[in-house]
C-alpha cells in the first residue's frame, strides 16, 4: 500500500467519524495524519514502527493503525463505521466540496441516502431551509452532483438529448452533404443511456469532425468510430454507404430482438438501396413502426398504434408552488402554464405530513383555496383545479380527514416515506390508498429514482387491477429522474381501462417543460391520447375528477 493510499484511509476514517458525530479530538488527529503521510517521500511500508513514531503528526496510536493497514489492508475502525453507514451515504463522501458535516445534516434531517436522492432533493428545492445551506449552496451542489453522476458512465435521456442534437448539427456543418442521424437507444428515447449512437455517411473524410477538442477520437475501424464528446459523453459513430443509410438506420435503431423479428437473413432485403428509412421500409414492405416502439419482438401483423404527442397534452397536473416546496408562486405557475397554451393547471402542493417540504396544514390550505378562487376569476377561461399531493401513510391512509379530502377537486396519493417495506406490505399500503374514495391519481407508483433507486417492490398487476376497479388514474411522473410509472406497464393499464396521467411534478415554471419526457416514455409503452388523462380538454378533465 502506497503512502498516498495509507493517507487516504485516515482521511476516510475521519470523514466517517464526523458523519456520526464522534470524538472531535480523534477526528482532528486522523485528519492531521492524512496531511502528514501525504508529504513523506520514503515508503512507510519500509519503515519500522519506531521510525514512524518519530514523524511529526504520527505518534504511537497512528503508527499502530498504519501497521494494521499494512498487514490486513483495512482498519477495523473503518469496518465498524461502514456497517452503520448506508453505501449511498458513503458514496456522497466522494463528491468534491461536499463534506461530512453537510452530508450528516441531509442524511439525518431529510433521510437522503444516495446521490440520486440528493440530486432530486436539489431539483425539488428541499435543501434551502436546512441549516448551513441556501439557494447558492444548493445550486453549487447540484452542479457537482450532475458532474459526479456523469462520470459514472450512465446518463438520463434528458441529460444527453441536447448534446446529441448538437452533435448531429455539428456533423452537418463540418461534413457538408453528409447523412447523419441519431440511432440506437437514444433514438428510441430510452429512459437511461450509456452513450450517444450516430449513423453517418460522411460524404468524404471524417477528419474535420475531430479537428477540435469537442469530439475526441478514442478508437476507429472501417465500420465505426468511438469518441468522447464534451470530455465525458461516450459516442459511437457507425459508418455506412449512402445507398445503405435507410436500411442501416432501421437495423441500428431497434434492439436486436426487434430487428430479428422483422428482418431475417434475406439477401433480397440486404440489397435494397435506400437513402432514407421510410424509403427502405416502403421497398421492403414493412410497417412504419415509430422508433419509440422498437424495443421488443414485433409481429408484421401487429397494429401500429397512434401514439400520444406532446401537442395532445391539454393540462398541467401535479405542480408545486411556494405554498410548499416550489420555487414559483401559484400565480406564476398558472400564468406560465396558460401562456404555454395549456387549458388548466392542477395545483398539488405537499400535504401536512411532508414536513420536509413545508407541507400544508389546514389553515394554509384555506389560504391557497382563496387565492385559487381569485385567480380563476382573473384568468378564465383558463382554470386552476384545487388539488393536493397527499402522503400515503404507512398504513395506507391519507394524511387529511375526509372532511378536508372531499373539498379538493382532485387528490394525488403518493408514498414519500418508509420505502423499505416488503412487497406484500407495500402493495397492501397502495391498495388501501387506491380504495380511498377521494383518491383521483396514484402518484409515482414505485417511488423510483432512475439510476439511483429501484423503488419499493409492489405487485403492479394488483395495483393496476385496483385502479381499474376504483376509477383511479396512474401517474406517469414526467420528471426525468422518475418516469414512473415505467413504460412497460402502460400496455396492461390501457387494456384494463386505466387512464395514465402524464404529470410534470413541477416545482418551478421551467419544470412544466418536463412533460415532454413523460410523453416520450409514454409513447414507448404505446399510450394513445385517448387513454391519457392530461390529454383531456378542460371540461372532460373536470368530468373525470368529479
Amino acid at each position: 500500500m502506497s503512502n498516498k493510499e495509507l493517507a487516504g484511509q485516515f482521511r476516510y476514517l475521519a470523514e466517517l467519524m464526523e458523519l456520526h458525530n464522534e470524538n472531535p479530538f480523534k477526528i482532528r488527529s486522523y485528519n492531521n495524519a492524512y496531511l502528514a503521510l501525504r508529504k513523506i517521500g520514503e515508503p512507510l511500508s519500509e519503515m519500522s514502527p519506531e521510525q514512524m513514531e518519530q514523524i511529526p503528526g504520527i505518534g504511537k496510536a497512528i503508527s499502530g493503525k498504519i501497521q494494521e493497514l499494512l498487514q490486513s489492508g483495512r482498519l477495523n475502525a473503518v469496518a465498524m463505521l461502514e456497517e452503520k453507514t448506508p453505501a449511498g451515504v458513503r458514496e456522497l463522501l466522494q463528491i468534491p466540496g461536499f463534506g461530512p458535516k453537510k452530508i450528516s445534516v441531509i442524511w439525518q434531517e431529510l433521510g437522503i441516502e444516495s446521490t440520486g436522492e440528493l440530486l432530486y432533493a436539489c431539483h425539488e428545492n428541499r435543501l434551502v431551509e436546512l441549516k448551513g445551506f441556501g439557494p447558492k449552496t444548493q445550486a453549487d451542489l447540484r452542479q457537482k452532483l450532475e458532474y459526479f453522476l456523469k462520470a459514472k458512465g450512465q446518463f438520463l435521456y434528458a441529460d444527453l438529448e441536447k448534446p446529441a442534437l448538437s452533435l448531429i448539427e455539428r456533423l452537418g456543418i463540418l461534413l457538408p452533404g453528409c447523412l447523419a442521424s441519431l440511432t440506437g437507444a437514444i433514438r428510441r428515447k430510452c429512459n437511461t443511456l450509456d452513450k450517444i449512437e450516430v449513423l453517418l455517411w460522411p460524404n468524404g473524410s471524417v477528419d474535420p469532425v475531430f479537428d477540435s477538442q469537442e469530439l475526441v477520437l478514442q478508437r476507429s475501424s472501417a465500420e465505426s468510430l468511438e469518441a468522447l464528446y464534451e470530455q465525458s459523453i461516450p459516442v459511437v459513430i457507425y459508418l455506412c454507404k449512402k445507398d445503405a443509410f435507410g436500411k442501416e438506420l432501421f437495423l441500428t435503431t431497434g434492439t436486436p430482438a426487434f430487428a430479428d423479428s422483422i428482418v431475417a437473413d434475406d439477401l433480397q432485403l440486404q440489397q435494397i438501396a435506400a437513402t432514407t428509412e421510410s424509403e427502405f421500409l416502403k421497398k421492403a414492405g414493412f410497417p412504419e413502426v415509430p422508433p419509440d416502439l422498437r424495443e421488443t419482438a414485433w409481429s408484421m401483423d401487429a397494429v401500429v398504434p397512434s401514439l400520444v404527442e406532446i401537442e395532445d397534452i391539454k393540462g398541467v397536473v401535479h405542480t408545486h408552488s411556494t405554498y410548499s416546496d416550489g420555487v414559483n408562486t401559484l400565480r406564476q405557475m398558472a400564468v406560465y402554464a396558460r401562456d404555454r397554451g395549456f387549458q388548466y393547471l392542477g395545483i398539488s402542493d405537499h400535504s401536512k405530513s411532508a414536513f420536509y417540504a413545508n407541507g400544508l396544514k389546514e389553515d394554509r390550505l384555506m389560504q391557497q383555496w382563496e387565492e385559487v378562487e381569485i385567480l380563476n376569476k382573473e384568468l378564465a377561461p383558463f382554470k386552476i383545479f384545487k388539488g393536493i399531493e397527499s402522503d400515503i401513510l404507512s398504513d395506507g391512509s391519507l394524511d387529511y380527514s375526509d372532511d378536508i379530502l372531499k373539498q379538493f377537486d382532485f387528490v394525488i396519493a403518493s408514498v414519500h416515506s418508509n420505502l423499505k417495506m416488503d412487497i406484500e406490505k407495500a402493495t397492501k399500503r397502495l391498495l388501501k390508498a387506491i380504495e380511498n374514495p377521494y383518491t383521483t391519481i396514484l402518484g409515482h407508483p414505485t417511488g423510483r429514482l432512475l439510476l439511483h433507486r429501484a423503488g419499493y417492490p409492489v405487485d403492479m398487476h394488483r395495483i393496476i387491477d385496483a385502479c381499474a376497479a376504483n376509477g383511479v388514474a396512474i401517474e406517469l411522473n414526467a420528471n426525468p429522474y422518475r418516469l414512473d410509472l415505467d413504460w412497460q406497464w402502460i400496455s396492461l393499464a390501457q387494456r384494463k381501462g386505466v387512464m395514465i396521467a402524464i404529470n410534470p411534478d413541477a416545482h418551478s415554471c421551467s419544470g412544466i417543460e418536463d412533460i415532454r419526457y413523460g410523453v416520450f416514455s409514454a409513447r414507448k409503452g404505446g399510450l394513445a391520447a385517448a387513454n391519457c388523462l392530461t390529454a383531456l380538454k378542460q371540461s372532460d378533465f373536470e368530468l373525470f375528477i368529479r
Side-chain angles (χ1 to χ4, degrees):
M1 189 174 286
S2 68
N3 289 3
K4 184 178 179 180
E5 290 169 332
L6 289 165
Q9 286 295 308
F10 283 98
R11 183 182 189 182
Y12 181 45
L13 174 58
E15 289 174 334
L16 288 173
M17 291 180 69
E18 197 166 358
L19 269 179
H20 292 277
N21 298 309
E22 297 209 358
N23 189 318
F25 176 79
K26 286 189 175 182
I27 293 171
R28 186 163 55 250
S29 173
Y30 294 140
N31 274 323
N32 288 339
Y34 161 72
L35 295 172
L37 296 178
R38 292 173 67 232
K39 299 176 183 177
I40 298 170
E42 183 182 351
L44 288 161
S45 57
E46 298 177 5
M47 292 184 186
S48 66
E50 293 75 21
Q51 289 174 308
M52 292 181 194
E53 291 172 23
Q54 300 305 311
I55 299 171
I58 302 302
K60 192 169 185 178
I62 299 296
S63 174
K65 282 189 163 39
I66 294 172
Q67 296 303 312
E68 182 184 351
L69 277 168
L70 291 171
Q71 290 169 13
S72 66
R74 66 177 311 182
L75 291 171
N76 185 54
V78 166
M80 292 174 63
L81 287 167
E82 283 184 335
E83 285 185 9
K84 300 193 296 182
T85 315
V89 174
R90 301 200 301 269
E91 184 183 47
L92 292 174
L93 292 169
Q94 300 174 32
I95 301 168
F98 189 46
K101 285 185 179 178
K102 280 190 165 57
I103 294 171
S104 180
V105 171
I106 62 102
W107 179 25
Q108 300 301 330
E109 296 195 22
L110 296 182
I112 289 171
E113 295 187 357
S114 73
T115 51
E117 289 176 319
L118 180 54
L119 185 55
Y120 190 74
C122 291
H123 178 80
E124 289 202 330
N125 206 39
R126 290 187 183 172
L127 273 60
V128 293
E129 300 299 329
L130 291 178
K131 184 178 180 181
F133 290 81
K136 187 176 179 180
T137 302
Q138 180 177 265
D140 179 61
L141 177 57
R142 183 174 179 175
Q143 283 188 334
K144 289 175 179 175
L145 281 164
E146 288 171 344
Y147 183 85
F148 176 77
L149 293 172
K150 282 183 180 180
K152 293 177 69 175
Q154 288 289 321
F155 306 85
L156 299 177
Y157 172 82
D159 291 334
L160 293 194
E161 184 184 35
K162 286 184 179 178
L165 295 175
S166 296
L167 177 58
I168 294 298
E169 183 180 3
R170 171 182 167 82
L171 291 172
I173 294 170
L174 296 176
L175 305 174
C178 75
L179 297 176
S181 172
L182 296 177
T183 191
I186 194 164
R187 189 172 181 229
R188 300 195 306 274
K189 294 183 173 64
C190 292
N191 296 166
T192 61
L193 306 161
D194 60 4
K195 59 182 173 291
I196 294 172
E197 294 176 273
V198 174
L199 181 66
L200 175 68
W201 170 67
N203 192 28
S205 172
V206 297
D207 291 346
V209 176
F210 303 104
D211 282 347
S212 73
Q213 290 300 305
E214 192 172 10
L215 187 66
V216 179
L217 185 64
Q218 305 285 302
R219 282 174 290 277
S220 65
S221 69
E223 294 81 26
S224 65
L225 307 169
E226 295 180 33
L228 273 183
Y229 187 54
E230 296 180 344
Q231 300 183 330
S232 62
I233 303 172
V235 175
V236 177
I237 301 175
Y238 305 108
L239 302 173
C240 71
K241 296 178 180 179
K242 184 177 183 179
D243 63 359
F245 191 86
K247 177 193 68 179
E248 292 300 328
L249 183 57
F250 177 77
L251 294 177
T252 56
T253 293
T255 62
F258 175 84
D260 291 346
S261 67
I262 293 186
V263 183
D265 288 330
D266 189 325
L267 184 60
Q268 188 176 3
L269 288 178
Q270 299 299 323
Q271 292 175 341
I272 292 176
T275 57
T276 69
E277 185 178 69
S278 293
E279 183 185 4
F280 170 75
L281 292 173
K282 186 175 181 180
K283 288 182 177 180
F286 294 155
E288 288 265 6
V289 182
D292 321 64
L293 297 178
R294 302 182 197 176
E295 293 287 346
T296 57
W298 187 270
S299 169
M300 290 290 288
D301 299 323
V303 177
V304 180
S306 177
L307 303 178
V308 64
E309 304 278 358
I310 295 172
E311 295 76 18
D312 292 325
I313 305 302
K314 302 295 191 297
V316 181
V317 176
H318 195 162
T319 59
H320 300 265
S321 71
T322 50
Y323 275 97
S324 63
D325 59 345
V327 173
N328 295 107
T329 65
L330 174 56
R331 172 183 289 275
Q332 289 170 332
M333 295 291 284
V335 170
Y336 184 91
R338 181 200 63 181
D339 292 349
R340 286 284 284 105
F342 295 104
Q343 297 178 7
Y344 52 94
L345 175 84
I347 188 65
S348 52
D349 278 302
H350 284 285
S351 58
K352 64 181 181 180
S353 294
F355 61 90
Y356 54 84
N358 193 28
L360 276 70
K361 293 186 178 179
E362 285 80 356
D363 59 334
R364 294 178 59 235
L365 275 175
M366 305 306 166
Q367 294 174 21
Q368 186 181 72
W369 292 347
E370 289 176 7
E371 185 177 356
V372 168
E373 295 298 330
I374 293 169
L375 288 172
N376 276 339
K377 290 178 182 178
E378 177 186 332
L379 301 177
F382 182 88
K383 184 168 183 177
I384 303 170
F385 290 99
K386 297 179 293 187
I388 196 73
E389 185 178 18
S390 183
D391 269 28
I392 301 174
L393 304 179
S394 294
D395 65 355
S397 60
L398 305 185
D399 61 342
Y400 289 114
S401 67
D402 287 356
D403 285 342
I404 295 294
L405 289 170
K406 69 183 180 182
Q407 296 182 63
F408 292 108
D409 292 326
F410 70 97
V411 173
I412 299 174
S414 303
V415 169
H416 290 109
S417 60
N418 196 3
L419 307 181
K420 298 180 179 179
M421 292 181 173
D422 62 39
I423 187 168
E424 186 60 24
K425 287 184 178 179
T427 300
K428 286 183 177 178
R429 179 189 193 181
L430 290 188
L431 291 176
K432 183 175 178 179
I434 292 165
E435 290 165 359
N436 188 305
Y438 298 106
T439 296
T440 315
I441 302 170
L442 176 62
H444 44 71
T446 73
R448 76 177 184 184
L449 292 177
L450 288 168
L451 301 180
H452 311 294
R453 187 173 75 199
Y456 39 86
V458 293
D459 185 336
M460 195 55 69
H461 290 276
R462 291 169 66 189
I463 297 302
I464 290 172
D465 283 344
C467 286
N470 290 275
V472 171
I474 299 180
E475 176 178 81
L476 194 168
N477 190 296
N479 187 296
Y481 296 101
R482 288 193 183 273
L483 297 177
D484 180 21
L485 180 76
D486 188 271
W487 62 265
Q488 295 180 76
W489 291 106
I490 289 176
S491 178
L492 176 62
Q494 287 193 121
R495 291 200 304 272
K496 297 284 186 174
V498 176
M499 296 290 277
I500 302 296
I502 300 177
N503 298 339
D505 196 356
H507 286 69
S508 64
C509 290
S510 61
I512 291 172
E513 303 301 333
D514 285 345
I515 285 173
R516 63 198 307 272
Y517 300 117
V519 171
F520 294 159
S521 195
R523 287 172 59 87
K524 295 185 68 59
L527 183 66
N531 298 322
C532 177
L533 179 62
T534 43
L536 296 179
K537 61 185 181 181
Q538 184 189 116
S539 58
D540 290 336
F541 177 80
E542 191 160 8
L543 284 173
F544 179 91
I545 63 178
R546 283 180 180 174

